[in-house]
Amino acid sequence: MADVIQPLLLDYVVNDVDSHFDHALVNVSGQLIRYPIHNTVISGRSVRKYVFLSDTDLIGKQILGASLMDEQGRTLANQTMNIVKNDRGFLIGFEFTVKLEAKPIV
């Protein structure tokens, strides 16, 4: 079967996925703290979102997880972790790979 899905459609889907992320909520020792999206990298069919924690007042506290949110505060993705923040910045990364499949209707 010939390729039904064209690269332009995949580009549209990648850009649409990217457009829904607004900010992150990071669970620091049980407290949810809002952080902006630090950086976004779109490479091929993947979207990577990064959240950077530079706060010195977080030193020694536990980073228990992070969630990416839309502008209405709805959770789009989350990941758990259990890291004790040191005196350096901490980068949290999320990666999304877009794949589409077309099946013939018989």
Side-chain angles (χ1 to χ4, degrees), residues 16-85:
D16 184 65
V17 166
D18 176 52
S19 72
H20 292 284
F21 298 105
D22 183 67
H23 63 279
L25 287 180
V26 179
N27 184 334
V28 180
S29 299
Q31 179 184 4
L32 295 178
I33 302 173
R34 183 180 172 136
Y35 284 89
I37 303 295
H38 174 70
N39 193 17
T40 298
V41 175
I42 297 175
S43 177
R45 302 297 175 239
S46 80
V47 177
R48 282 180 256 144
K49 295 287 183 180
Y50 296 99
V51 179
F52 184 67
L53 313 180
S54 64
D55 301 70
T56 55
D57 58 333
L58 298 181
I59 295 172
K61 294 188 178 178
Q62 281 186 301
I63 309 300
L64 299 172
S67 298
L68 292 178
M69 316 297 285
D70 69 8
E71 64 184 17
Q72 296 176 12
R74 298 175 295 193
T75 303
L76 300 176
N78 58 42
Q79 60 178 294
T80 58
M81 55 190 72
N82 191 357
I83 310 268
V84 176
K85 173 85 169 58

